[in-house]
Amino acid sequence: MIVDTTKTGITKTEPSKTAEAAPCTPDFAVATQPSYARTLFLGPDGLRPGWGIAFYVGMFFLLQRLVVQWAWAHDFGAGGLWSMMLEEFGDLISAVILALVLVRVEHRPWRVYGLPARQALGRLFWVGALWGFAGISLLLLALYGLHAFAFGHVVLHGSRLARFAAFWAVMFLLVGLFEEFLLRGYLQFTLARGIGFWPAASALSAFFGVIHLRNEGEHWPGVLAAALIGFFFCLTLRRTGNLWFAVGFHAAWDWGETFFYAVPDSGTVGPGHLLSSSLHGADWLTGGSVGPEGSVLCFVVIAAVWIAFNRVYPRARVLADHAALPLPATAGSSSLRASE
């Protein structure tokens, strides 16, 4: 309130009665802030990526040890074939169960982890399978043209042919589902939340290549090829919005390599193959013990497939034809296609 004192000619301000009446209260703003524990584990976008990845990886390796023991205790007298399938199935179930737990914790829809159930084994899967079989066929035909590969003759007939064809089809479907979901499902989504889509894709693709060193007969050319194929699968995730194309490609490539063309697959030769084929020549050309994935021509085929996919699935077409999915493109972003 302003008071004019005419006697002194001085104007002074007196405090408002309302202000005088207001009690002086302590500031309890700190009490309304989240607890330290909540801040440590949760960020503005839910569970912090580092904690989610630590839980997922740690629990998966624990479950995998149990899966291996369980699978190889049930061989059924098939020379290890059924144990191999049971191990892949157990690994896939472990990876999916852990992601389902984190779906509840992070309050996200399942589809953001790359395997939307509504598109299971749908068009994208079969298109990817066609591309995968075409890719391995192109590689083997190139080696054949350079006299480094011989088809041999058919060694399976009748019911044995049908049984082994079906066995390896199911086996590599499990392999494709497990490996794609493990490295390009929950982990790709969560790591991309922290560092961006392509840095996450680079790190996980490099890891995908390195873990192939566990296979007998594997060498560094095959490891590099596996890493580059993994990076290509990240591109298919980016452009299609899910992993079904990659799963189909992965499964068909391995099926063609192991069963149909009967050559080593990442250093491993599977029994029950269609042909009595053979590789002969320099290791840099044939891939040696690694198989065609260690051939210098494999890198040419990967480049050709990458270029072809980029033309068939351009960014503009995907943006126009598909609704945006809640997959991260850059750190702090929730859109898969926010940047390309």
Side-chain angles (χ1 to χ4, degrees):
M1 179 174 62
I2 305 298
V3 178
D4 186 10
T5 53
T6 55
K7 291 184 178 180
T8 59
I10 301 175
T11 302
K12 65 179 180 178
T13 302
E14 291 185 357
S16 170
K17 293 182 179 179
T18 304
E20 290 177 354
C24 182
T25 59
D27 184 6
F28 289 105
V30 175
T32 66
Q33 298 300 313
S35 67
Y36 175 77
R38 183 177 179 84
T39 304
L40 178 65
F41 289 100
L42 299 175
D45 197 25
L47 185 67
R48 294 189 183 277
W51 290 115
I53 292 172
F55 172 82
Y56 190 81
V57 172
M59 291 301 297
F60 174 77
F61 280 113
L62 177 63
L63 290 176
Q64 189 187 42
R65 292 177 64 88
L66 299 176
V67 164
V68 170
Q69 294 175 4
W70 167 74
W72 289 94
H74 300 81
D75 183 32
F76 304 113
L81 287 179
W82 288 111
S83 292
M84 290 169 55
M85 182 177 285
L86 287 174
E87 182 177 345
E88 291 294 336
F89 177 73
D91 286 343
L92 172 62
I93 293 300
S94 299
V96 168
I97 287 176
L98 292 173
L100 287 172
V101 170
L102 289 163
V103 162
R104 301 296 299 273
V105 172
E106 299 183 357
H107 304 291
R108 302 183 193 281
W110 168 257
R111 68 180 184 276
V112 303
Y113 298 140
L115 288 180
R118 293 181 61 183
Q119 298 184 42
L121 304 183
R123 180 179 177 277
L124 269 179
F125 170 83
W126 293 108
V127 171
L130 180 63
W131 279 64
F133 189 76
I136 189 62
S137 298
L138 177 62
L139 176 55
L140 269 299
L141 288 173
L143 290 172
Y144 175 78
L146 294 172
H147 308 289
F149 172 69
F151 287 96
H153 60 276
V154 175
V155 296
L156 289 178
H157 303 278
S159 61
R160 281 176 55 82
L161 189 157
R163 287 200 305 269
F164 274 109
F167 173 86
W168 287 117
V170 174
M171 176 69 177
F172 288 122
L173 174 60
L174 292 174
V175 170
L177 283 168
F178 164 58
E179 294 187 359
E180 293 310 309
F181 184 75
L182 180 70
L183 293 172
R184 284 168 278 279
Y186 177 81
L187 289 180
Q188 171 66 33
F189 174 88
T190 305
L191 188 58
R193 285 175 52 213
I195 64 176
F197 184 90
W198 288 115
S202 300
L204 292 171
S205 298
F207 180 70
F208 179 62
V210 169
I211 60 177
H212 280 72
L213 285 173
R214 300 180 303 171
N215 300 335
E216 290 186 22
E218 184 66 271
H219 295 298
W220 283 106
V223 169
L224 181 57
L228 291 175
I229 290 175
F231 200 61
F232 167 70
F233 290 152
C234 292
L235 175 67
T236 69
L237 168 64
R238 181 88 167 181
R239 294 292 174 83
T240 67
N242 62 61
L243 290 169
W244 285 114
F245 182 100
V247 170
F249 189 109
H250 194 153
W253 175 286
D254 285 354
W255 185 86
E257 201 169 23
T258 297
F259 172 75
F260 194 87
Y261 293 111
V263 292
D265 177 0
S266 297
T268 302
V269 179
H273 39 73
L274 179 64
L275 302 174
S276 62
S277 60
S278 59
L279 293 163
H280 40 84
D283 286 355
W284 63 268
L285 181 60
T286 66
S289 62
V290 178
E293 290 178 9
S295 168
V296 66
L297 292 181
C298 185
F299 299 99
V300 177
V301 169
I302 293 171
V305 169
W306 184 291
I307 293 170
F309 183 86
N310 187 58
R311 293 178 66 87
V312 175
Y313 290 88
R315 176 173 178 263
R317 177 178 175 181
V318 170
L319 283 170
D321 294 349
H322 299 279
L325 295 176
L327 294 173
T330 56
S333 170
S334 61
S335 173
L336 172 64
R337 304 181 186 93
S339 63
E340 183 89 319

